[in-house]
């Protein structure tokens, strides 16, 4: 059941919001509510210092810039406070085959001509082969700058090639939560320390009325936000919303995580290296490097995974590895009655494409656009669930693509991933690509055609042909155009400061504090 069947429209304003759980999800939600909801709405956040948060080193994607700007956050202050670095994309190693590497960069490849997508022109030139156009990444400023360790902020001038540069961040999730907590508390959010031991519901409607903490402390509310992580105390436990597992498509169910000392320069990209039973991440921060091994417990035991992680570190470990256990999937509804799940309480998709924080952000912004009154209308709740569940499925398909589009057969894990049946929605996308390299962005889809193109080509999935409209441009003219685009991008990247120099000049952390 969704919504309050007995309440009418215009039943009065929601004035009391209770957030259960802190961490990144809780404090992003609290900061957004405190800045964006009209006055007269109290926001209380309940968290326990005894309960750890999942966040380790976090990598993000470009939409986070919009969230920070929406809250009026000064970007340099945010980078300093969180030990952040800038991110131009993700490098994937050993995914298609052992020894391979490619970048999934943020931003665009080249520019379209006469309505013909750039990648179609590139494919046509590659088919002609003389001259060889080189890798498609040579036509993306974010990719070229990332490989060279360069960074600057993009230009607002749409005529400048610098306007095609897109970026995100690597940061310490605990420091980001602290940064947002300070902001939210200054804006009036009340934090209550305590562990939830009971959830009170109305006997007639099933709505949540209050949460009880240890020591019989009762906190009542009208709208409840579940940010309790994998425990899903409100949506899962109290409201009994079922969980749909996607483990048959995404078999990784555990991870070891550990920070290490920095070695060498600050790379402006995340690295994801495929391993025998999953993959290892490397996330460079100003004060340390975040590392992890995401793996399938059915294909490697915990001790071997831990040893593989530690053996792959570039610098000395700064502590003991911490294990996380999870299952890919999501709740059947993310908004039930007067409770909205934000973050891990609603679903989990492994961090391969750095979407965890984005899905938090997406849930928050869509809640703001459908913010309820006390009637909790079914129409708004159903729309929220429809849009959010669709986004989870779209992100799921993109992540499955990385596992399925491989030639690796060196371990049972990769044999399973390569040969598994995939969702019909992903099969349809692959069918469109395999013919004439068509890629379309569905309404509201997170990943752009450029992202799909980078991963498909990076993993060796070449289409049979290309758009016939690409042949309308004479071959010599097409070759000159591609050469010009590549030259401009090459020179622009060469003129950019190094990533490390940009941070030192603009936003170096004052203290190197590990969290």
């Amino acid at each position: 059941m969704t919504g309050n069947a007995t309440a009418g429209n215009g039943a009065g304003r929601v004035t009391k919001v209770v957030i259960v759980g802190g961490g990144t999800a809780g404090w992003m939600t609290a900061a957004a509510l405190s800045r964006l909801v009209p006055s007269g709405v109290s926001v209380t956040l309940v968290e326990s210092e005894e309960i750890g948060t999942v966040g380790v080193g976090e990598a993000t994607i470009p939409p986070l810039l919009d969230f920070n700007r929406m809250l009026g956050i000064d970007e340099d202050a945010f980078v300093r406070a969180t030990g952040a670095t800038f991110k131009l994309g993700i490098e994937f190693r050993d995914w298609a085959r052992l020894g391979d590497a490619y970048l999934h960069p943020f931003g665009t490849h080249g520019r379209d001509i006469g309505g013909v997508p750039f990648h179609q022109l590139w494919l046509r030139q590659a088919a002609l082969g003389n001259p060889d156009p080189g890798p498609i990444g040579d036509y993306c400023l974010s990719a070229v700058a990332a490989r060279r360790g360069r960074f600057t902020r993009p230009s607002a001038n749409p005529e400048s090639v610098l306007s095609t540069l897109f970026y995100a961040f690597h940061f310490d999730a605990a420091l980001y939560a602290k940064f947002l907590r300070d902001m939210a508390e200054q804006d009036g959010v009340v934090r209550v320390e305590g562990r939830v031991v009971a959830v009170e519901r109305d006997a007639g409607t099933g709505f949540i009325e209050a949460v009880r903490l240890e020591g019989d402390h009762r906190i009542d509310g009208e709208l409840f936000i579940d940010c309790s992580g994998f425990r899903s105390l409100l949506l899962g436990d109290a409201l009994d919303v079922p969980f749909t597992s996607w483990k048959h498509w995404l078999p990784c169910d555990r991870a070891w995580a550990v920070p290490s000392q920095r070695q060498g320069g600050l790379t402006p990209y995340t690295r994801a290296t495929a391993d025998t039973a999953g993959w290892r991440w490397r996330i460079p921060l100003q004060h340390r490097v975040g590392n992890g091994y995401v793996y399938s417990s059915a294909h490697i035991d915990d001790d071997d995974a831990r040893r593989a992680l530690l053996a792959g570190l570039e610098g000395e470990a700064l502590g003991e590895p911490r294990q996380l256990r999870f299952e890919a999937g999501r709740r059947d509804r993310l908004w039930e009655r007067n409770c909205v799940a934000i973050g891990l309480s609603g679903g989990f998709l492994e961090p391969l494409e750095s979407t965890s924080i984005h899905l938090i952000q997406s849930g928050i912004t869509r809640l703001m656009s459908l913010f309820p009154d006390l009637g909790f209308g079914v129409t708004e709740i159903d729309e929220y669930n429809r849009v959010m569940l669709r986004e989870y499925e779209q992100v799921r398909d993109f992540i499955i693509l990385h596992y399925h589009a491989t030639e690796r057969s060196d371990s049972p894990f990769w044999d399973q991933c390569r040969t598994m049946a995939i969702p019909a929605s992903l099969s349809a996308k692959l069918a469109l690509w395999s013919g004439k390299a068509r890629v379309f962005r569905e309404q509201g889809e997170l990943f752009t055609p450029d992202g799909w193109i980078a991963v498909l080509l990076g993993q060796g999935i070449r289409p049979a042909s290309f758009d016939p409209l690409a042949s309308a441009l004479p071959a010599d003219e097409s070759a000159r155009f591609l050469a010009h685009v590549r030259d401009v991008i090459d020179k622009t990247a060469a003129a950019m400061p190094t990533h490390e120099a940009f941070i030192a000049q603009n936003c170096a952390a004052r203290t190197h504090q590990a969290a």
Side-chain angles (χ1 to χ4, degrees):
M1 172 183 172
T2 56
N4 182 350
T6 62
N9 292 328
R13 291 180 57 207
V14 168
T15 59
K16 290 189 289 185
V17 180
V18 177
I19 302 169
V20 173
T24 309
W27 287 111
M28 283 181 72
T29 305
L33 290 172
S34 67
R35 288 278 164 109
L36 304 176
V37 170
S39 60
V41 178
S42 69
V43 180
T44 302
L45 185 144
V46 181
E47 68 175 337
S48 171
E49 296 287 359
E50 298 175 8
I51 300 175
T53 57
V54 172
V56 280
E58 290 282 4
T60 61
I61 54 179
L64 185 67
L65 275 71
D66 298 327
F67 183 81
N68 284 350
R69 288 169 185 156
M70 182 174 69
L71 298 189
I73 291 173
D74 177 85
E75 187 167 283
D76 285 344
F78 151 74
V79 171
R80 283 192 293 268
T82 60
T85 60
F86 295 90
K87 174 183 173 181
L88 294 172
I90 306 171
E91 180 190 48
F92 290 93
R93 292 186 176 183
D94 299 335
W95 282 83
R97 291 167 296 275
L98 287 169
D100 276 2
Y102 72 91
L103 268 166
H104 169 197
F106 303 140
T108 58
H109 296 100
R111 61 183 173 84
D112 303 346
I113 290 186
V116 179
F118 177 82
H119 77 281
Q120 297 285 2
L121 299 170
W122 178 87
L123 283 168
R124 187 247 190 156
Q125 188 61 42
L128 294 172
N130 186 22
D132 182 352
I136 197 167
D138 288 354
Y139 301 87
C140 177
L141 181 58
S142 293
V144 176
R147 287 200 301 266
R148 294 186 176 188
R150 306 272 178 166
F151 180 78
T152 193
R153 290 192 172 103
S155 168
N157 177 7
E159 299 301 315
S160 168
V161 70
L162 267 175
S163 68
T164 68
L165 189 80
F166 284 70
Y167 68 95
F169 309 99
H170 309 110
F171 58 68
D172 185 312
L175 294 180
Y176 185 47
K178 181 181 183 301
F179 181 84
L180 294 175
R181 174 182 169 177
D182 291 344
M183 173 191 301
E185 289 187 316
Q186 288 174 11
D187 288 343
V189 172
V190 175
R191 178 191 178 277
V192 177
E193 168 69 28
R195 183 190 294 265
V196 174
V197 295
V199 178
E200 296 181 7
R201 297 174 61 189
D202 181 273
T205 66
F207 276 41
I208 296 174
E209 292 186 324
V211 293
R212 285 197 177 274
L213 313 185
E214 289 177 327
D216 207 31
H217 183 184
R218 183 179 186 274
I219 299 177
D220 67 315
E222 295 159 348
L223 172 63
F224 288 81
I225 314 294
D226 188 348
C227 297
S228 63
F230 292 129
R231 295 178 297 278
S232 195
L233 293 177
L234 304 185
L235 191 76
D237 286 355
L239 296 177
D240 201 27
V241 175
F243 180 84
T244 294
S245 173
W246 290 332
K247 188 175 181 178
H248 51 295
W249 289 314
L250 297 169
C252 291
D253 58 357
R254 296 184 189 179
W256 286 106
V258 67
S260 65
Q261 289 184 344
R262 271 185 56 197
Q263 298 287 318
L266 284 173
T267 53
Y269 54 86
T270 307
R271 179 178 297 148
T273 303
D275 213 313
T276 55
W279 60 280
R280 291 177 284 112
W281 78 69
R282 179 185 180 276
I283 300 174
L285 309 182
Q286 290 189 46
H287 56 290
R288 60 169 171 80
V289 174
N291 309 273
Y293 186 2
V294 178
Y295 62 96
S296 164
S297 62
H299 295 88
I300 189 173
D301 67 38
D302 293 338
D303 290 340
D304 285 345
R306 184 180 185 276
R307 281 190 289 269
L309 170 62
L310 292 173
L313 298 183
E314 297 174 3
E316 182 182 348
L318 298 175
E320 287 297 314
R322 182 162 60 98
Q323 190 182 54
L324 310 171
R325 299 190 179 203
F326 50 81
E327 184 172 356
R330 48 104 177 114
R331 298 283 166 182
D332 290 357
R333 296 176 299 283
L334 302 181
W335 186 339
E336 174 77 352
R337 296 180 169 85
N338 64 333
C339 174
V340 180
I342 300 288
L344 301 178
S345 57
F348 178 77
L349 290 166
E350 60 170 82
L352 184 60
E353 280 285 351
S354 310
T355 54
S356 294
I357 286 180
H358 171 76
L359 289 168
I360 293 170
Q361 171 187 340
S362 184
I364 293 168
T365 54
R366 288 185 167 123
L367 172 61
M368 298 304 302
S369 67
L370 292 165
F371 200 79
D373 61 18
L374 291 176
F376 288 94
V378 173
T379 302
E380 287 79 9
I381 293 174
D382 287 349
E383 176 65 7
Y384 183 92
N385 285 323
R386 184 187 69 83
V387 172
M388 288 300 301
L389 296 182
R390 181 186 64 193
E391 181 162 33
Y392 268 86
E393 290 168 1
Q394 290 169 341
V395 173
R396 175 204 67 192
D397 285 0
F398 194 59
I399 294 174
I400 293 171
L401 170 66
H402 298 66
Y403 286 102
H404 183 64
T406 183
E407 297 176 12
R408 288 188 59 165
S409 58
D410 53 289
S411 71
F413 175 81
W414 289 106
D415 281 338
Q416 175 182 327
C417 293
R418 189 186 69 256
T419 60
M420 68 182 172
I422 59 176
S425 48
L426 177 56
S427 292
K429 275 190 175 288
L430 290 177
L432 270 174
W433 171 262
S434 65
K436 292 183 172 61
R438 268 67 184 256
V439 185
F440 298 104
R441 190 178 192 179
E442 296 180 22
Q443 183 180 12
E445 188 172 358
L446 171 61
F447 292 103
T448 65
D450 285 282
W452 281 90
I453 291 162
V455 175
L456 286 162
L457 291 175
Q459 303 221 182
I461 309 301
R462 284 293 185 109
S465 184
F466 51 84
D467 190 328
L469 294 177
S471 297
L473 191 68
D476 57 344
E477 187 176 337
S478 175
R480 286 195 298 271
F481 171 68
L482 264 67
H484 172 71
V485 170
R486 183 162 54 176
D487 183 61
V488 169
I489 286 175
D490 183 73
K491 289 176 178 175
T492 303
M496 292 164 61
T498 68
H499 182 219
E500 200 145 5
F502 182 90
I503 289 174
Q505 182 175 352
N506 296 282
C507 45
R510 295 189 180 92
T511 59
H512 293 326
Q513 48 186 320

